[in-house]
Amino acid sequence: MQVHYPNLFQEGKIGKLTLRNRLVMPPMGTNLAQEDGHVTDTQIRYYEERAQGGVGMVIVEIAGVDPGGRAIPRQIGLWDDKFIPGLSKLASAIKKAGAVAAIQLHHAGRQTNSTITGSQPVAPSPIPCPVNQETPRELTIEEINKLVNAFGEAARRAYVAGFDLVELHGTHGYLINQFLSPYSNHRQDEYGGPFENRLRFALEVIQAVKENTALDFPVSFRMNGDEYVEGGIKLEEAKEMAKRFIDAGVHVLHVSAGVYGSPAPNVPVMGTPPAPLLHLAEGIKSVSSVPVIAVAKIHQPDLADSIIKEGKADFVSIGRGLICDPEWTKKAQEGKVDDIRGCITCNQGCIDRLLAEAGSVSCIYNARAGRELRFPMTEVEAKKKVVIIGGGPAGMEAARTAVLRGHTVHLFEEAGELGGQALLASATPHKDEFGEVVRFYRHEMGRLKVNLHLGTRADAVKVKQLNPDTVIIATGAQPLVPDIPGADRPNVVQAWDVISGKVTPSGKVAVIGGGLVGCETAELLAEKGCEIVMFEMLEDIATDIGPSLRTVLLERLMNNPKIKIITGAEVKEISENSIALVKEEGRQAVQGIDTVVLAVGSTPRDEVVEEIRATGIPVHVIGDVKAPRKAIDAIHEAFETAYAL
């Protein structure tokens, strides 16, 4: 049998453990536990499916050593023996699937708030986190000792539950990291100040873990290679810390970076080059006598394989890639790379949903993520013939799901190619990764042998000829034309036409609408040399995008000298060379406008809906044709609709 990616798929050693390959699923919060901290069957199935996908080790997400240190509302608990039976079930499921079962011990310190914990956050020093902004209470020596013991007791429970390894969360600005860093630790006692004092808490925690488990029980330390904040830990100091962790008995170092508020996000986004933190893992490996795990945006098998081959790290973590495709490992090992549903680092379903919305883990185009137990992908008994109208992401997701459930599918797309609005999304600056959504779905349409009718407008006659059992309409949306005098002038164009390249404005351009589409259009035109004035009725722009992507988008827009942004502005009239608007201070005019670009939203393309309904065939309307919204909403609705057929 041909061995694909031989470096990646060789066995690896961590302490006394042997991993079947060099791939690790890193700890990522799911918010799937019960509110009291108990593991749920939904959570177990989520991890089990990724272990079954072939990964070498699964590190279960942050598990709280103390209820006052929770970072998310439904965080796994390790602060009481009552959690052991559920955790044992989780560890057993992971190991039965062939993966090493690990769990991460965690305390948020100042990076939480009282709405989650019910009490004031605690930290080495009373310095608020720049993101959470709630001033923590400084820990006393007695409380520090209790927390050291809490980590030890949590490790004992994980050990008793059957986990093969525990990982200490010493990065991303949480409690252990807070003690290590001069950025967050301003103490003047034995736990603060000089390097040795800042190390004390971490080393005592490692010792407590060993005393409560076994001397040879494997321990991972997830550490910062760089905090990316002024006054924080840098790589050279991190190297010295790594040596001390190893001397204390740590068996593997898991190297990440950043804290809440770091300018460089510890969860890279679209536009960030692949493996942006690899140099940090490589730096730690240069001084390490134990294995090192590299992490962050390593989504391609060839890249992961080369990291191992070149000795830059001993293991590679695939995080969001495994949320997106639990079978990433198996597909890579079998050389079926085109079958992989590639993570596009949009952060919509995972990071933003978890931290900004307090929702459970999900993925923009893996609608089963976090819901594997609820939606087992099995075939139905009563198989149907299904017609789907619309070949955008929603239509293709419906087609894919329906075929996997055993139905026969005919998909109509009026354009000559599949992709819909996803083609526009991938054509804007720093978002070419969105093209992976189109690539994957197109590949799936071929792999699953969906009957495609491209360049064909579906109507009642064509649909009835196929005699389907049901029709799913996913015709999407079209740009909205606002009720503004002058909106029909020849110098007024739609943002979608600009993005697609249908029209090419030049000179001074007014963009009406400061949502995501308007912002991306402004950035695109600025790159092409235009001078941009953006008008937005609200006081803020890009409010329709998640915080992780919004942060980097706003930074680019605000620092672009070709883009001027006017908020709180209602456009009243479009003239030949000017825009009339009303702000709080009254009516104004902006002169010298060559082209006006409309980016004021969209409206459903629903012309065919009533025509198809009139046939008497059962109809399901999904996605933007039902109500324009985010891609994640349309795709998830498509999945649920097709699954229920």
Side-chain angles (χ1 to χ4, degrees):
M1 188 177 99
Q2 183 181 357
V3 178
H4 299 275
Y5 308 108
N7 303 287
L8 205 53
F9 292 102
Q10 61 179 314
E11 288 185 344
K13 295 281 290 183
I14 294 177
K16 64 181 181 180
L17 300 172
T18 300
L19 281 64
R20 58 186 169 185
N21 55 50
R22 301 303 182 92
L23 288 163
V24 174
M25 179 181 177
M28 297 170 290
T30 64
N31 227 0
L32 291 174
Q34 293 180 12
E35 288 189 4
D36 65 359
H38 280 90
V39 168
T40 61
D41 289 342
T42 296
Q43 204 162 31
I44 291 171
R45 182 64 194 129
Y46 167 83
Y47 283 108
E48 181 181 45
E49 190 158 306
R50 281 146 185 86
Q52 289 170 339
V55 70
M57 178 166 67
V58 172
I59 307 178
V60 172
E61 66 195 270
I62 52 174
V65 304
D66 182 277
R70 291 174 297 145
I72 54 178
R74 296 188 299 281
Q75 183 169 331
I76 292 175
L78 262 177
W79 58 80
D80 193 286
D81 285 0
K82 67 183 180 183
F83 299 121
I84 293 175
L87 290 166
S88 180
K89 195 175 172 184
L90 173 56
S92 176
I94 293 169
K95 294 199 287 188
K96 191 174 180 180
V100 165
I103 191 166
Q104 188 181 66
L105 312 186
H106 167 269
H107 190 294
R110 71 178 188 170
Q111 286 187 175
T112 185
N113 55 64
S114 53
T115 59
I116 292 174
T117 64
S119 59
Q120 183 183 8
V122 295
S125 302
I127 307 168
C129 162
V131 174
N132 294 80
Q133 297 185 341
E134 187 170 347
T135 302
R137 181 174 55 77
E138 181 171 302
L139 289 160
T140 66
I141 297 294
E142 182 183 2
E143 288 172 325
I144 290 172
N145 293 333
K146 285 181 178 178
L147 283 173
V148 169
N149 184 61
F151 274 97
E153 284 291 301
R156 175 186 62 79
R157 294 179 187 109
Y159 180 66
V160 171
F163 282 96
D164 301 307
L165 174 150
V166 293
E167 177 168 277
L168 298 173
H169 200 336
T171 183
H172 300 163
Y174 293 118
L175 185 66
I176 295 176
N177 183 193
Q178 288 164 32
F179 272 98
L180 289 169
S181 175
Y183 171 69
S184 48
N185 184 352
H186 293 184
R187 297 179 74 95
Q188 301 299 313
D189 58 14
E190 62 265 41
Y191 287 95
F195 179 75
E196 293 293 331
N197 287 0
R198 287 185 280 114
L199 273 171
R200 192 179 308 278
F201 182 72
L203 299 180
E204 287 180 353
V205 166
I206 294 168
Q207 183 62 30
V209 168
K210 293 191 160 297
E211 289 174 354
N212 282 273
T213 54
L215 286 176
D216 66 344
F217 182 64
V219 178
S220 169
F221 197 100
R222 194 162 200 199
M223 64 175 294
N224 262 338
D226 193 320
E227 287 189 298
Y228 291 118
V229 288
E230 188 176 348
I233 297 167
K234 301 299 178 189
L235 181 57
E236 288 309 308
E237 186 175 42
K239 288 180 181 179
E240 295 306 311
M241 290 179 175
K243 295 176 189 175
R244 298 297 299 274
F245 300 151
I246 295 167
D247 290 344
V250 163
H251 299 86
V252 61
L253 297 170
H254 196 173
V255 183
S256 189
V259 299
Y260 283 16
S262 295
N266 49 40
V267 185
V269 297
M270 283 185 183
T272 307
L277 306 183
L278 180 59
H279 67 289
L280 300 176
E282 195 174 3
I284 297 299
K285 183 166 170 55
S286 71
V287 300
S288 178
S289 57
V290 300
V292 169
I293 306 172
V295 69
K297 204 169 181 177
I298 304 170
H299 292 154
Q300 295 76 32
D302 55 350
L303 172 60
D305 191 75
S306 70
I307 289 170
I308 307 300
K309 180 181 180 180
E310 295 167 15
K312 294 179 178 179
D314 303 284
F315 295 88
V316 169
S317 276
I318 308 291
R320 289 169 294 172
L322 285 174
I323 297 176
C324 191
D325 193 336
E327 295 189 321
W328 189 102
T329 306
K330 187 183 295 183
K331 291 173 181 177
Q333 190 167 16
E334 294 173 357
K336 298 178 179 177
V337 177
D338 288 343
D339 289 1
I340 293 174
R341 184 199 287 112
C343 172
I344 62 171
T345 58
C346 68
N347 291 349
Q348 284 188 37
C350 49
I351 306 304
D352 290 346
R353 185 181 172 101
L354 189 76
L355 296 180
E357 303 170 22
S360 56
V361 67
S362 186
C363 171
I364 187 172
Y365 72 130
N366 175 11
R368 287 184 67 242
R371 305 192 294 175
E372 293 80 6
L373 189 64
R374 179 180 168 190
F375 295 108
M377 195 51 77
T378 52
E379 289 196 2
V380 297
E381 289 185 13
K383 295 175 171 55
K384 298 178 179 180
K385 180 186 280 187
V386 183
V387 165
I388 297 172
I389 304 175
M396 289 191 284
E397 174 62 34
R400 178 181 185 273
T401 303
V403 172
L404 291 173
R405 293 281 278 165
H407 305 297
T408 299
V409 174
H410 287 261
L411 187 149
F412 286 84
E413 170 52 51
E414 190 172 357
E417 61 179 345
L418 296 168
Q421 289 184 53
L423 295 171
L424 295 175
S426 61
T428 55
H430 310 284
K431 283 183 67 178
D432 59 309
E433 289 166 75
F434 213 99
E436 169 62 13
V437 175
V438 178
R439 184 214 65 80
F440 172 74
Y441 278 130
R442 285 178 175 175
H443 174 75
E444 289 292 273
M445 297 303 98
R447 183 180 74 85
L448 298 172
K449 296 180 171 54
V450 173
N451 299 290
L452 297 176
H453 305 265
L454 299 181
T456 305
R457 184 186 184 279
D459 56 25
V461 173
K462 293 186 181 73
V463 170
K464 286 173 71 175
Q465 285 174 346
L466 290 169
N467 193 29
D469 297 294
T470 190
V471 177
I472 296 175
I473 300 178
T475 45
Q478 57 196 2
L480 181 69
V481 178
D483 186 19
I484 299 174
D488 57 349
R489 297 184 66 86
N491 65 327
V492 180
V493 300
Q494 286 286 352
W496 290 17
D497 291 334
V498 173
I499 295 169
S500 67
K502 188 176 178 181
V503 297
T504 308
S506 60
K508 188 172 183 178
V509 179
V511 176
I512 301 178
L516 176 61
V517 173
C519 290
E520 291 180 338
T521 305
E523 192 171 24
L524 177 66
L525 289 173
E527 284 187 358
K528 294 182 177 181
C530 297
E531 181 185 347
I532 310 299
V533 184
M534 184 192 299
F535 302 92
E536 169 55 47
M537 288 180 64
L538 302 176
E539 294 301 326
D540 291 309
I541 61 170
T543 56
D544 54 346
I545 183 174
S548 55
L549 277 176
R550 183 173 188 261
T551 301
V552 292
L553 173 63
L554 289 181
E555 185 178 358
R556 292 198 307 265
L557 291 173
M558 299 303 179
N559 292 326
N560 192 324
K562 290 185 172 293
I563 299 175
K564 179 182 179 181
I565 300 168
I566 302 176
T567 58
E570 182 181 359
V571 175
K572 289 294 187 180
E573 187 177 357
I574 301 170
S575 302
E576 185 175 353
N577 297 111
S578 66
I579 296 283
L581 63 129
V582 173
K583 280 180 65 71
E584 195 174 279
E585 54 269 31
R587 193 176 178 96
Q588 302 175 17
V590 177
Q591 304 290 340
I593 302 296
D594 297 300
T595 306
V596 177
V597 178
L598 301 176
V600 293
S602 55
T603 185
R605 282 191 69 210
D606 56 3
E607 315 90 63
V608 76
V609 173
E610 292 308 317
E611 180 184 354
I612 303 300
R613 278 184 173 150
T615 66
I617 302 168
V619 171
H620 302 272
V621 180
I622 64 169
D624 282 3
V625 66
K626 184 176 181 181
R629 56 211 133 132
K630 292 181 179 179
I632 188 171
D633 301 317
I635 292 169
H636 284 220
E637 184 175 63
F639 167 79
E640 291 168 15
T641 300
Y643 189 93
L645 292 175

